[in-house]
Amino acid sequence: MARCCNDFSRTGLLRRAAAEAGQGLPAIEAGMPLPAGTGLDRRSFLARGAGLALAVYGGAAFLPRVFEEGIAAAAAAGPRKVLVSIFLDGGADSLSMLFPNGEPLYRRLRPRLALPASAGLPFAEDDRLRWHPSLAALAQLHAEGKVAVMPGVGYSGPDQSHFTSRHFWEVGATSEQLRTGWLGRYLDRTGTPDNPLQGLSLDWRLQPALATARMPVASIDGPDQYDFWTRNVWGEVQGRMLDAIGALGSLPTNGDPALVQATAAARQSARLREQLLPFAPQDDKPGFTSPVAYPTSDDEFPRRLAGLGAMLGAGLPVRVVALTAPGMYDTHDDQPQELADGLKLTADSLLAFQRDLEARGLADRVLVHVWSEFGRRA
């Protein structure tokens, strides 16, 4: 990894330590704002009816049965719009991502980092700018009218702290006191208390932007972590049992309220079982398939996006999603290679995700938001 500044290193270590220990997000050294979500309980459970193994944050009542029914009911309610927020960790260099080729000062101020005039593709709205060569996939989507760029968004009085700036964007305000994320507050207003999939952190820990005050949200590494589990039952016997439960959903109820509720639950469980069966790993192969090829990498990012596409394709009731892009963008040395590698895997994965959504007929439902805690300027 390229050398990075102490503030960036401290930010990552402090956020990670307590979160990985299952204590929500960590306490921070003096002078730093507490991240959104600090102190939120993390509880793990297996939703037996829905087959979900989740780490759930928030939610006043921790009743797996309630969550199972809520997930099933939300899935049955039909498709909703989805927002996917992707973080470029470390302050991505905007002067290289969309470099000012037509600015005379550019090569004078960047004698070693300036990109060649012929590098990358021109930016359609302003030909004085050019895309970084590693962002060819985003340039392609931009040419198709599927990418918008907002390069000059900031706030007054920045102190060049990775920690503080990231916190401001995560909570959606220049406040050091807020403890809920901007996506979390959205779910507090529009979410439900029985569907933790409404806010999904594709990570081993909570993404602070998803921290809520009232509604449950979840974290999971990917849909291949889902499974059906019944104590001491497996194989062919388990399959027959689940088929029988599904058949109960078609029994006549004669208007009996209890039977109506029971058969509805059976139908929902059977429906979710059918949706989730493709996620079950088989013979050490991935537990889900995609209609397009994603980049091959040791990084989890393309796998998680492919898994998200499969989850959305299966009709799971996801509303907002947060995850971290590959790469470390606090490049204090070896920037040309470090930046190029991170940007290429990120952009190529995003192009694959867009094509995946298009192939599934879901592209108009999903908005992807890519951000960094700050950029760079002359």
Side-chain angles (χ1 to χ4, degrees), residues 229-311:
W229 176 83
T230 309
R231 185 178 179 86
N232 296 327
V233 181
W234 59 87
E236 182 181 357
V237 175
Q238 183 189 44
R240 290 184 177 183
M241 180 194 71
L242 293 170
D243 287 340
I245 291 174
L248 294 176
S250 60
L251 291 177
T253 63
N254 298 321
D256 184 285
L259 284 176
V260 169
Q261 185 175 5
T263 55
R267 284 195 302 273
Q268 290 169 351
S269 296
R271 180 173 180 269
L272 278 170
R273 179 197 173 205
E274 293 173 359
Q275 290 174 330
L276 295 171
L277 277 176
F279 297 151
Q282 299 288 337
D283 302 322
D284 297 325
K285 295 180 180 179
F288 53 85
T289 58
S290 300
V292 301
Y294 279 78
T296 301
S297 172
D298 292 335
D299 192 276
E300 302 289 354
F301 184 69
R303 179 182 66 82
R304 285 172 173 164
L305 282 183
L308 177 59
M311 293 168 70

Side-chain angles (χ1 to χ4, degrees), residues 84 291-292 294 308-309 312-313 351-368:
V84 181
V292 301
Y294 279 78
L308 177 59
L312 296 176
L351 175 60
F353 183 58
Q354 176 67 20
R355 297 296 187 243
D356 188 346
L357 296 173
E358 290 170 354
R360 298 178 191 272
L362 301 173
D364 290 342
R365 284 183 51 210
V366 182
L367 176 67
V368 179

Side-chain angles (χ1 to χ4, degrees), residues 3 11 66 94 98 113 118 163 183 199 218 221 252 257 266 317 359:
R3 179 170 55 89
T11 296
V66 173
S94 55
L98 204 58
L113 288 181
S118 59
F163 200 100
L183 293 174
D221 182 46

